[in-house]
Amino acid sequence: MEQYLIKEGSFWWPYIQTIPQPNNEKGLQTPLYYEQDDLAWIHGTNLDGGRNHRTLIWREQYEGSMLVLKQERSTHELSGNRISQVQHYTWDLYVWAATILSSRCFPGQVQQIEAFQALSKQKMRTDEVYPVLIPVFDLANHSPHARVEWRMGDKACSLYTEDAIPGPSQIWNNYGPKGNEELIMGYGFSLFENSADRFAMALTQYSDRNSADEGSQYSNASRLSSPKLSNIHYLNLPANTALSCCSMQLVQALHAMVANNREGTMHHESIPIDITDRITTHQKARVVSKLMVFLQSKYSTITVHNRYLPPWPMNEKQFHAARYRRSQLRILKIITGRLAGILQRMIDQPDPQFIRLDHILSRSPGSFITDFRSLLHHGIGTRKPTKIRSLGLEHLVYTIWLCSLRLHHELQNRDDRNVDTNQWHFDLRCWTSFLDEVYGQPFDVDQSKRSESEANLANSISESYLEVIQAAAQRHVQSMYSDPRWTIGFVRWGYYIVQEESFTCPGVHSKGGSEDELILFLESPNTED
C-alpha cells in the first residue's frame, strides 16, 4: 500500500505498474471484486462462504493495522517518502494489496533470500516460510500439465522446465493440483474439465452429533456440525467406478460423529469401515446415510438459487463462477448417486437388517401383529407407513412396536408350545436379548447417567406414548396392551433404544417414494463388528 501511494518515489514503482491497478476492475477477478450480479452465480456454494470468511479476516487485519498506523502517526510524523496521511490507507486499497500478494506471491524461506537476512535477526524466524513477490516470474500463468522446477538460492531464483517451448509462446508455471474453487478464490480463474476439482467439507466433533450448518473451504468447507475440532476433507471423482472419493479419514471421522452412546465407547480409529464392500453394519449404514443426507442438502442449497440466475453468464467473473457451480453440482450428484446405490444394496437384502415401518407392519410375528395394527388404528388413526411418516409419528410407532415385541418374547418364553420357525422372527428374538444386555431390563431403566433435561424430556414423551397405548387398550380390552406391565418405565426403555439405535435414511428404497425415513438396525452379537 505504501509503495503504491508514493508512486514514482518508490524503487518498486516500475514493477507496481506491471500488475493490475486498484482502479482496474477487469484486472482483478477474485470473488472479493464480485458485484451483486456476479455473486448470484456462487450463492449456496462453498465459494460464497469462503468469500465472506476472507472478507471478515482481511477486515480484522486491516482495522488492526490502521490502529497501529494511527498510533505511530500520533507519536511522530512518518518520515521520508512515507505517506503521513492515514486516510489514504483505505479499505479498498488494502483489499487490492492483499489480493495482489495472495495471488502473485511465492513461498520463500528467510535463509534462502538475501533481502531477509537482516530482518531475520530481529523478528523473523529462519525456519518459517514467508510470502515473496518476485517481479517478472509472477507473470507466468498456470497449467496443471507444465513440468517445472523452482530453485531458490541466496541471490537468484530460477525456473526450470522440461517442456519444449516452441515459437513465440508463453512459459507456463504450475501452481500444483488446485480445484476451481481454490483457483477462483486465489487467482480469479478456472480450468475446463479440471481433474483436481473437489468438494470440500469440514467435519467437527461436537456434543450434538446431529447438528449441521453451512460454511466453506477456508471456513468455506461445508460443515456437518458446530465447530470445535475441525478437519477439512475433500470429495473428488476418481476415474474408476469404486467409491474411492471418500478417504478413510473422512469415513472414520463420520463414524466417530454419528456413533451412538453404545458405539461411542469403541475406539473408532481402530475399526476399519469399507463403505464399498458388501458387508452391512450399523456403523456403515449410519455413515453412508449421514453423508448422503448432507450432500443432498448441499445440492438443494445450491440449486434453490437457480431461479435468480440469468440465462447465461454476462462477464468473465460470471463465466468462471458458472463453471465452478456446475462442477460442484456434478460432484455432489454423482457421489450422492453412488451412496444411494450402496444403501440400496443394504436395504434390499432378503432377510433385512434394516427394520422399516413396512417390515414391522407386515412381517412381525403374527401372534401380536393384530393387536399392534389395532393399536395404530385406534391410537393414531392410521397404519399406513407413508401417512405415519408424514405425521412425524415414526418414533412413537417404533417405540411401541419395540416394547410390544419385547413383551411378546417374554410371554412366549412362558409358553413352550409357541415355537416360531421364521428366520427373521428368530433374529428379532436374538436382537431383543442383545438389547437387554446392552440397555438393561425394560422395567428397570437406569436414568442416573442422563442429564436432568434428558430424563425430563424422556419422561414427558414416554407419558404421551403411554396415553396412546392406554387409549387403544380401552377400545380393545382383550389385547396385549391391557397387560399391567405397560408402564412409563417400560415405554421409556423403548424410547431410549429407538433414540440410540435409529437413524435417518434417505429415500432410496425400491418400492417408490423419495422421503427420508427413520430406520432401526437389527443388530446382535452375530452382526456387530
Side-chain angles (χ1 to χ4, degrees):
M1 293 172 69
E2 178 188 73
Q3 298 302 307
Y4 173 80
L5 288 171
I6 61 180
K7 300 189 183 300
E8 291 84 357
S10 169
F11 172 81
W12 300 105
W13 184 241
Y15 166 63
I16 293 174
Q17 289 181 298
T18 68
I19 61 181
Q21 300 298 292
N23 56 357
N24 182 2
E25 296 181 359
K26 293 184 178 180
L28 296 165
Q29 302 287 319
T30 55
L32 268 70
Y33 285 91
Y34 279 20
E35 301 293 338
Q36 198 62 39
D37 290 344
D38 306 326
L39 291 173
W41 290 92
I42 64 171
H43 281 332
T45 68
N46 286 344
L47 196 57
D48 193 12
R51 176 186 181 275
N52 296 334
H53 182 71
R54 176 164 288 188
T55 301
L56 177 64
I57 296 299
W58 283 6
R59 174 64 75 171
E60 291 176 350
Q61 294 173 348
Y62 169 71
E63 292 177 354
S65 301
M66 289 302 295
L67 287 176
V68 174
L69 193 60
K70 289 176 182 178
Q71 290 172 357
E72 183 177 352
R73 187 179 184 279
S74 66
T75 56
H76 59 276
E77 288 293 324
L78 304 181
S79 59
N81 284 331
R82 303 182 72 182
I83 298 296
S84 59
Q85 289 81 15
V86 175
Q87 64 268 22
H88 291 299
Y89 291 81
T90 64
W91 163 244
D92 288 341
L93 188 60
Y94 183 88
V95 172
W96 168 80
T99 301
I100 293 297
L101 181 63
S102 63
S103 64
R104 308 178 77 88
C105 70
F106 294 81
Q109 287 186 295
V110 171
Q111 67 266 31
Q112 292 178 323
I113 302 176
E114 186 178 32
F116 283 171
Q117 296 302 320
L119 291 174
S120 67
K121 298 177 181 179
Q122 301 175 24
K123 299 180 181 180
M124 305 178 74
R125 292 177 50 181
T126 59
D127 59 343
E128 290 188 357
V129 176
Y130 293 87
V132 181
L133 289 173
I134 305 178
V136 180
F137 278 110
D138 62 1
L139 296 175
N141 289 320
H142 168 62
S143 169
H145 308 296
R147 296 176 295 174
V148 300
E149 178 185 354
W150 286 92
R151 298 179 186 176
M152 292 280 195
D154 292 340
K155 298 182 179 181
C157 174
S158 303
L159 171 65
Y160 292 82
T161 178
E162 299 178 16
D163 300 323
I165 306 175
S169 59
Q170 64 176 303
I171 299 174
W172 295 95
N173 189 9
N174 190 332
Y175 302 171
K178 297 182 184 296
N180 284 338
E181 182 174 312
E182 190 174 357
L183 290 175
I184 293 175
M185 191 68 192
Y187 310 98
F189 70 90
S190 65
L191 296 177
F192 176 66
E193 294 186 352
N194 188 348
S195 61
D197 255 353
R198 54 192 183 175
F199 176 77
M201 55 191 298
L203 300 187
T204 54
Q205 285 192 255
Y206 202 64
S207 58
D208 181 7
R209 295 189 302 269
N210 296 319
S211 61
D213 59 15
E214 301 299 330
S216 192
Q217 179 180 332
Y218 312 86
S219 174
N220 68 332
S222 302
R223 292 177 292 182
L224 285 182
S225 62
S226 303
K228 197 159 189 181
L229 296 175
S230 178
N231 295 294
I232 296 179
H233 300 267
Y234 299 96
L235 300 175
N236 56 6
L237 294 178
N240 55 35
T241 57
L243 194 63
S244 55
C245 56
C246 299
S247 67
M248 182 57 68
Q249 291 77 15
L250 170 59
V251 173
Q252 295 305 110
L254 281 168
H255 182 199
M257 177 182 295
V258 303
N260 58 25
N261 289 329
R262 171 173 60 81
E263 296 165 337
T265 60
M266 304 175 184
H267 299 289
H268 300 289
E269 65 278 3
S270 65
I271 305 174
I273 299 177
D274 183 356
I275 61 175
T276 64
D277 63 26
R278 297 281 174 169
I279 300 174
T280 299
T281 66
H282 189 209
Q283 295 92 332
K284 183 197 292 188
R286 278 179 176 267
V287 166
V288 175
S289 295
K290 181 71 173 181
L291 182 56
M292 185 175 170
V293 168
F294 173 74
L295 296 183
Q296 287 177 330
S297 174
K298 188 61 182 179
Y299 187 92
S300 298
T301 299
I302 298 175
T303 56
V304 74
H305 296 281
N306 286 350
R307 61 181 180 272
Y308 303 114
L309 294 176
W312 50 78
M314 302 299 292
N315 57 42
E316 188 174 354
K317 296 173 186 174
Q318 294 178 20
F319 171 81
H320 291 295
R323 174 186 283 171
Y324 158 74
R325 179 189 183 88
R326 288 193 301 271
S327 175
Q328 292 288 282
L329 289 173
R330 176 174 174 268
I331 292 172
L332 290 170
K333 186 174 183 179
I334 291 176
I335 294 178
T336 300
R338 292 177 179 176
L339 292 171
I342 293 172
L343 275 180
Q344 189 73 66
R345 289 195 299 270
M346 289 192 282
I347 290 174
D348 288 344
Q349 296 178 99
D351 294 312
Q353 289 176 270
F354 285 80
I355 303 176
R356 298 170 49 209
L357 290 177
D358 305 73
H359 297 146
I360 67 176
L361 291 169
S362 62
R363 301 182 59 177
S364 294
S367 49
F368 87 78
I369 191 64
T370 301
D371 286 355
F372 181 63
R373 289 173 178 169
S374 176
L375 175 137
L376 296 181
H377 175 71
H378 295 298
I380 63 176
T382 184
R383 55 193 184 200
K384 295 181 179 180
T386 53
K387 185 69 171 179
I388 292 171
R389 281 193 287 269
S390 68
L391 293 173
L393 298 176
E394 292 171 284
H395 194 284
L396 177 148
V397 172
Y398 277 124
T399 299
I400 297 177
W401 173 81
L402 178 59
C403 291
S404 302
L405 182 68
R406 177 61 180 78
L407 182 58
H408 165 72
H409 288 157
E410 182 164 320
L411 294 174
Q412 264 198 332
N413 291 337
R414 297 181 181 181
D415 189 348
D416 295 335
R417 295 171 298 175
N418 292 328
V419 179
D420 195 337
T421 59
N422 183 288
Q423 179 62 45
W424 195 59
H425 296 172
F426 175 78
D427 292 341
L428 289 175
R429 176 182 286 276
C430 294
W431 182 53
T432 55
S433 298
F434 168 70
L435 296 177
D436 279 354
E437 294 177 6
V438 174
Y439 294 98
Q441 292 297 311
F443 308 105
D444 185 25
V445 178
D446 181 12
Q447 297 201 81
S448 61
K449 297 182 180 180
R450 312 273 177 179
S451 67
E452 182 178 355
S453 59
E454 286 180 315
N456 290 338
L457 178 63
N459 288 335
S460 176
I461 294 176
S462 298
E463 284 180 2
S464 66
Y465 290 3
L466 186 59
E467 290 174 1
V468 172
I469 295 168
Q470 292 170 341
Q474 291 176 0
R475 300 287 298 272
H476 191 186
V477 294
Q478 300 301 319
S479 73
M480 67 185 302
Y481 299 105
S482 297
D483 193 292
R485 280 168 289 193
W486 284 98
T487 64
I488 187 172
F490 185 21
V491 177
R492 189 170 57 226
W493 173 85
Y495 166 84
Y496 280 138
I497 291 176
V498 174
Q499 281 287 94
E500 292 293 322
E501 300 294 332
S502 66
F503 61 93
T504 300
C505 182
V508 298
H509 44 83
S510 58
K511 292 186 179 180
S514 59
E515 70 273 15
D516 296 344
E517 62 175 302
L518 194 68
I519 281 180
L520 282 171
F521 189 82
L522 194 159
E523 189 162 50
S524 68
N526 295 328
T527 60
E528 277 193 298
D529 281 347

